[in-house]
Amino acid sequence: MEEDLPHQQLCKQKRNFSLDQKEAEPLQIKEEQNEQEHQPIKEEQEEFESFQIKEEEEELHISQDEEPYLLKWNTYTFEVSPVNGEKYHLEPEPDRHQLDPEDAPEVKNQDQEENDHEDLGLRRDLVKLLAEAEVSSIAEDGPTSFRRQSSKHGCSETQDIGLRTRVPPVESDDSCLSDSDDSDEDHRAKPGDESSSDEESNSSNDPPASTSATIASAQSASAKRRRWRKLAWEKVQPQNSAKDLPIWRGSLPSAEETREPIQYFRDFFDVDLLNTIVQQSNLYCAQESTYSRYSGLKLDRNELEQFIGTLVYMSVVHLPTSRMYWSSECRVEQVADVMTRERWKKIKEFIHFNDNSNTTANSGDALFKIRPIIDSLLQKLSRLPQDQMLAVAQQMVPFTGTSSLIHYIPKRSRKWGYKIFVLCDTKGLVHSFDIFTGKLDPVPGEPDIGGSGNIVLKLVQVIHGSVNHLLYFDSWFSSFDLFVALANKGILALGTVEQSALQGCSFSTDPEMKKKGMGSFEEKRAVVDSLEIRAVKWFDYRGVIVASTFANAQPVSNIQRWDRKLKQKVSVECPAIISLYNTFVAGVDALDALITSHRIQIRSRKYYQRLFFHFVDMVIVNCWLLYQRDCESLDVPRKKQKDFLAFRISIAQALCMQGKDLSSKKRGWAFFDVESEFEKKKRRGPAKAIPTLKVRSDAVGHWPVVESGRQRCKLPNCKGQTVFKCSKCNVHLCLKKNKNCFGEFHK
């Protein structure tokens, strides 16, 4: 009896459909292409009768406490005929387009079965089955008008790739099975859905007329991403893995002589760039004079160089605050003797690089205020001779203040700051950079391969000529589109990749490779647009996957690794592609290490000042690397080469003193040399001799004694009279609560 219950319900539903067919109204459809307002009912009936459904039923019995239910899983095979090339448009108003129930007996039956599945938590599985049937039908029969029904609060809707109309509500025999809170939009076929099959993405169906340009572009981009899923990956045997590395056809120029450090520096901060900074700084001070206590900046190029020189000195001798460089306790003469504290603070406040009056015209440029510095440096960096091995990576300029350009990178030691993408060689010599402002637009004339790939194509524009440059990057940049785009420009690449980025390529899992032991690896190959890509997974402490267009796993070398179980170092096999990546990818890390060793850490809330300080550090690193390259070209012994700190101090000294007259500088605090002041006093008349500097400053036996008579203090520029006298130097010196000439004389 329980088994006959579903058959009786099915017969009852068919009888209801036959009664409804006699009372149905004709279908009214709006045609978008032919602009026809009405279509005969017979054509619509023929269209719906063309659906021939073959049911293969598998019965599933579910026992419940109150009432048993019999569920039927139906697998549908649709044989659909084309609709004479006509396309239809879905109008959202149900009163304009209503489907006649007489034309769709299958719709009502299928809608009730779908409602039954919804209440039992099986709706998602049914939708998946219907989607697969839709894909199969599209692949076999070409253009179709496949329909699918979904209900919401008793209202059934028919969806059609070529025809979209709305159906009147259908009464259900069991109303409790038709209630659903899910939206119809959740189960509709979405364009560019990653779950769709390859047949659907490659079908020749014309898109519906209601599809917008945005959805069409999304579909094309999604289809392009899915294109790589058809790659046929094959395992590479060790005997067939050998592959020769490309031979570099370029060369580095030989130097005629090594130059002074300041000459390298002035190649980047030349006269034109310094004059631009001077002009814009004076202009900015004039624009702000209404709100400032200063009458004018009156900055010149020599004073600007001295200001930059003091910044470099401050990076070598680091103090907590800038005012301490002029204090009597921590005075640094290399800074305090160059300019006064107030003058230094004034230049720092008004140093500027672009005209604020043009901000409105350049509102779309987030780096407008420092754009002249960026353009000037990029032009000079692009002309530097390039080595064969180059790397692209991210760099962080530390900053924890409030700014729209601040970004967060959790895997870096300095997590907050301004993010910069850098192209450099393996030693850290920068050839190009780009400051990340929140958007990564495609390069004009280059394919749009995503944000991470677009930035690489932008940086490699400075690589001229196909001389077999090899580029290295990490998994954040890697993609098949990037490998192909770089190969078209004559640049071969190597980088780590994530398993999810290798569509169609599956390696052994980490637990499986761990059983084989440390050093185990697998190699596979695929051909993409006539370009061979090798992918290698190597297990060290964990699995890492590397892909390349020029490298392979052979030859295998041995490296030392610490075995945690044996508590000792063991020899582990390492593929050649892994060794190449570890050797040449760390160029940006070398750059960061050199900058961090002596970074300009002057605090500033202005983003363009913080970036300007970073560019000064980056230029000094570039100058030292170029100096080392010239020394190697001329075979200068290592002992005779200046290290990075000495090179940096030499630049600071030249900026502060070379071509500058320091005698006319006014000091912010009273400071003098005892020897020079004593010489001036001798010219004016007789003066009592004083001990030499070595005697005065030896700190041995200088004791104050009290004399009966007063005499003038012998410290220059002091007009006081005192009874205190140095027992060793035999000169009278003031020794009071607020005046200690005795201590000043013996420094």
Side-chain angles (χ1 to χ4, degrees):
M1 186 66 182
E2 296 177 355
E3 298 180 353
D4 297 335
L5 180 61
H7 297 286
Q8 295 176 2
Q9 294 179 354
L10 183 61
C11 296
K12 182 179 179 181
Q13 294 173 2
K14 292 182 178 180
R15 287 195 300 271
N16 292 338
F17 271 117
S18 61
L19 293 176
D20 294 338
Q21 290 175 358
K22 298 178 181 180
E23 300 175 0
E25 297 179 1
L27 176 66
Q28 299 178 359
I29 300 177
K30 180 182 178 180
E31 299 183 355
E32 182 173 313
Q33 292 183 351
N34 301 328
E35 299 182 355
Q36 298 178 2
E37 298 181 356
H38 301 284
Q39 187 175 2
I41 301 178
K42 293 183 180 181
E43 293 182 4
E44 290 297 321
Q45 291 179 351
E46 292 176 1
E47 175 186 350
F48 284 98
E49 290 176 358
S50 63
F51 286 88
Q52 299 179 3
I53 303 176
K54 300 179 181 179
E55 302 181 354
E56 298 177 3
E57 302 180 353
E58 297 178 3
E59 299 181 357
L60 175 64
H61 297 271
I62 301 178
S63 60
Q64 299 182 353
D65 296 339
E66 298 181 357
E67 182 179 1
Y69 289 91
L70 178 63
L71 302 180
K72 296 183 179 180
W73 288 83
N74 300 329
T75 303
Y76 299 95
T77 303
F78 296 91
E79 299 180 359
V80 187
S81 60
V83 196
N84 298 327
E86 297 177 351
K87 300 180 181 179
Y88 301 91
H89 179 66
L90 171 62
E91 292 291 337
E93 296 82 356
D95 55 342
R96 291 187 181 183
H97 301 286
Q98 293 185 354
L99 182 64
D100 193 345
E102 183 180 358
D103 297 331
E106 298 86 1
V107 171
K108 186 174 181 179
N109 189 15
Q110 184 178 352
D111 184 74
Q112 182 174 352
E113 292 180 0
E114 182 180 0
N115 292 335
D116 294 340
H117 290 304
E118 288 176 3
D119 234 40
L120 297 174
L122 302 176
R123 181 171 180 171
R124 293 182 180 275
D125 296 336
L126 180 60
V127 172
K128 184 176 180 181
L129 275 172
L130 293 175
E132 293 177 354
E134 177 185 357
V135 171
S136 177
S137 176
I138 294 175
E140 293 178 1
D141 298 334
T144 62
S145 58
F146 170 74
R147 304 164 188 258
R148 181 166 57 90
Q149 294 82 21
S150 60
S151 64
K152 180 178 180 182
H153 302 294
C155 182
S156 177
E157 181 181 352
T158 300
Q159 300 181 10
D160 192 340
I161 295 178
L163 170 65
R164 291 189 176 184
T165 56
R166 185 168 292 276
V167 185
V170 180
E171 297 294 337
S172 174
D173 294 337
D174 192 353
S175 60
C176 67
L177 298 179
S178 62
D179 295 335
S180 174
D181 295 332
D182 297 335
S183 173
D184 293 339
E185 298 294 333
D186 297 337
H187 305 287
R188 293 177 181 176
K190 299 179 181 180
D193 192 358
E194 292 296 333
S195 62
S196 61
S197 64
D198 294 335
E199 290 80 7
E200 180 181 358
S201 63
N202 295 329
S203 63
S204 59
N205 295 350
D206 294 331
S210 61
T211 304
S212 63
T214 305
I215 299 179
S217 61
Q219 287 178 334
S220 61
S222 178
K224 183 178 180 180
R225 289 194 299 269
R226 291 195 302 267
R227 183 165 60 93
W228 305 119
R229 293 189 176 182
K230 291 187 175 182
L231 295 179
W233 291 88
E234 60 180 9
K235 188 174 182 180
V236 180
Q237 300 300 328
Q239 60 272 14
N240 300 328
S241 177
K243 191 177 181 181
D244 296 333
L245 291 178
I247 300 176
W248 188 38
R249 296 194 295 268
S251 61
L252 295 176
S254 58
E256 298 179 357
E257 60 179 359
T258 58
R259 300 182 295 168
E260 292 296 324
I262 188 61
Q263 294 177 323
Y264 291 96
F265 184 82
R266 288 198 171 115
D267 287 343
F268 297 94
F269 283 88
D270 54 5
V271 175
D272 294 336
L273 181 57
L274 293 177
N275 288 337
T276 300
I277 300 175
V278 169
Q279 178 184 358
Q280 295 299 328
S281 299
N282 291 329
L283 176 62
Y284 177 66
C285 184
Q287 293 172 346
E288 299 293 325
S289 61
T290 306
Y291 311 98
S292 176
R293 63 183 183 275
Y294 300 117
S295 58
L297 185 61
K298 299 179 181 179
L299 180 67
D300 57 12
R301 191 174 73 248
N302 288 336
E303 199 171 18
L304 176 61
E305 285 189 348
Q306 288 179 325
F307 175 77
I308 298 175
T310 58
L311 294 177
V312 180
Y313 268 128
M314 290 177 178
S315 67
V316 176
V317 184
H318 179 65
L319 294 177
T321 59
S322 59
R323 66 172 55 246
M324 295 182 68
Y325 291 94
W326 288 267
S327 65
S328 58
E329 297 83 1
C330 305
R331 189 175 190 276
V332 179
E333 61 181 11
Q334 288 83 359
V335 176
D337 290 348
V338 173
M339 63 176 60
T340 63
R341 184 188 66 184
E342 294 302 321
R343 180 60 177 173
W344 187 90
K345 290 173 61 178
K346 184 178 180 180
I347 296 175
K348 176 181 176 294
E349 180 180 357
F350 290 106
I351 189 170
H352 218 70
F353 314 105
N354 214 343
D355 188 0
N356 281 345
S357 60
N358 298 329
T359 304
T360 305
N362 298 271
S363 58
D365 188 3
L367 302 172
F368 166 74
K369 291 191 175 183
I370 200 172
R371 180 59 61 185
I373 305 294
I374 295 175
D375 294 341
S376 177
L377 292 181
L378 285 177
Q379 183 180 5
K380 295 159 187 172
L381 292 173
S382 63
R383 295 197 296 260
L384 296 178
Q386 300 167 356
D387 202 348
Q388 181 186 20
M389 305 297 180
L390 301 174
V392 173
Q394 304 177 36
Q395 186 183 39
M396 183 67 74
V397 181
F399 184 75
T400 56
T402 302
S403 174
S404 60
L405 300 177
I406 292 298
H407 296 278
Y408 175 74
I409 302 181
K411 294 184 179 180
R412 290 193 171 268
S413 58
R414 298 183 180 271
K415 297 178 174 54
W416 295 94
Y418 304 107
K419 184 163 64 173
I420 302 179
F421 299 104
V422 181
L423 171 68
C424 62
D425 64 6
T426 57
K427 294 183 180 179
L429 182 65
V430 179
H431 294 285
S432 182
F433 64 87
D434 187 76
I435 302 175
F436 180 56
T437 58
K439 56 181 180 179
L440 298 173
D441 297 328
V443 182
E446 299 289 345
D448 185 4
I449 57 177
S452 59
N454 291 339
I455 190 62
V456 177
L457 295 181
K458 183 177 182 180
L459 293 176
V460 299
Q461 286 181 318
V462 301
I463 302 178
H464 303 292
S466 179
V467 292
N468 289 336
H469 282 288
L470 305 181
L471 188 64
Y472 299 81
F473 40 77
D474 57 22
S475 58
W476 194 85
F477 303 95
S478 294
S479 67
F480 287 151
D481 296 311
L482 178 59
F483 283 124
V484 174
L486 290 175
N488 294 335
K489 299 173 69 68
I491 303 173
L492 303 178
L494 188 155
T496 56
V497 293
E498 299 292 341
Q499 178 64 60
S500 58
L502 295 173
Q503 293 92 343
C505 179
S506 60
F507 289 100
S508 300
T509 61
D510 286 0
E512 294 175 350
M513 300 191 72
K514 187 176 181 180
K515 294 179 181 179
K516 300 178 182 179
M518 294 178 61
S520 58
F521 65 91
E522 297 178 1
E523 182 179 8
K524 294 187 178 182
R525 64 180 296 273
V527 178
V528 181
D529 292 347
S530 303
L531 177 67
E532 183 186 46
I533 297 180
R534 295 284 184 95
V536 176
K537 182 174 183 180
W538 179 62
F539 185 82
D540 188 10
Y541 296 109
R542 61 181 182 86
V544 59
I545 303 176
V546 181
S548 175
T549 55
F550 67 90
N552 59 291
Q554 298 297 328
V556 177
S557 59
N558 291 327
I559 60 175
Q560 296 295 320
R561 282 290 185 270
W562 179 261
D563 194 315
R564 299 171 183 173
K565 293 183 178 179
L566 300 178
K567 304 296 182 182
Q568 63 181 6
K569 288 187 176 181
V570 296
S571 180
V572 174
E573 290 186 346
C574 181
I577 190 173
I578 301 293
S579 300
L580 287 172
Y581 179 81
N582 292 335
T583 304
F584 299 112
V585 78
V588 178
D589 294 337
L591 173 66
D592 285 337
L594 291 172
I595 292 178
T596 306
S597 61
H598 303 287
R599 186 191 296 273
I600 299 176
Q601 300 185 16
I602 305 301
R603 301 181 62 182
S604 176
R605 294 183 179 180
K606 301 175 180 178
Y607 81 93
Y608 54 87
Q609 287 191 6
R610 179 65 263 173
L611 291 175
F612 174 71
F613 299 155
H614 176 76
F615 290 147
V616 173
D617 289 332
M618 185 180 68
V619 165
I620 294 177
V621 172
N622 261 28
C623 294
W624 183 65
L625 294 174
L626 291 174
Y627 165 77
Q628 277 195 325
R629 178 184 289 182
D630 292 343
C631 291
E632 293 176 1
S633 176
L634 298 173
D635 296 330
V636 178
R638 189 72 175 180
K639 294 181 179 180
K640 294 184 178 181
Q641 298 181 17
K642 292 184 178 180
D643 60 4
F644 180 62
L645 181 58
F647 189 89
R648 191 180 187 93
I649 293 176
S650 178
I651 292 178
Q653 184 180 17
L655 289 173
C656 292
M657 302 181 66
Q658 185 175 342
K660 284 82 175 177
D661 183 11
L662 302 181
S663 62
S664 61
K665 298 292 182 180
K666 296 181 180 180
R667 305 289 176 252
W669 297 94
F671 179 79
F672 54 86
D673 185 15
V674 175
E675 297 289 343
S676 61
E677 294 295 332
F678 183 73
E679 292 295 330
K680 294 179 183 178
K681 187 176 181 180
K682 286 175 64 176
R683 297 191 193 100
R684 293 194 297 266
K688 185 178 179 179
I690 63 173
T692 61
L693 177 61
K694 292 183 179 180
V695 176
R696 298 196 314 267
S697 60
D698 61 1
V700 178
H702 298 279
W703 301 103
V705 295
V706 180
E707 295 287 330
S708 58
R710 291 177 177 270
Q711 291 189 17
R712 187 179 295 276
C713 178
K714 297 304 183 289
L715 184 69
N717 298 335
C718 181
K719 299 180 180 180
Q721 294 184 354
T722 180
V723 296
F724 291 96
K725 178 182 178 180
C726 178
S727 60
K728 185 175 181 178
C729 299
N730 196 24
V731 293
H732 282 72
L733 298 166
C734 295
L735 186 60
K736 300 179 181 180
K737 181 179 180 180
N738 299 326
K739 192 174 184 181
N740 189 3
C741 295
F742 188 91
E744 193 72 25
F745 183 81
H746 292 95
K747 283 185 177 180

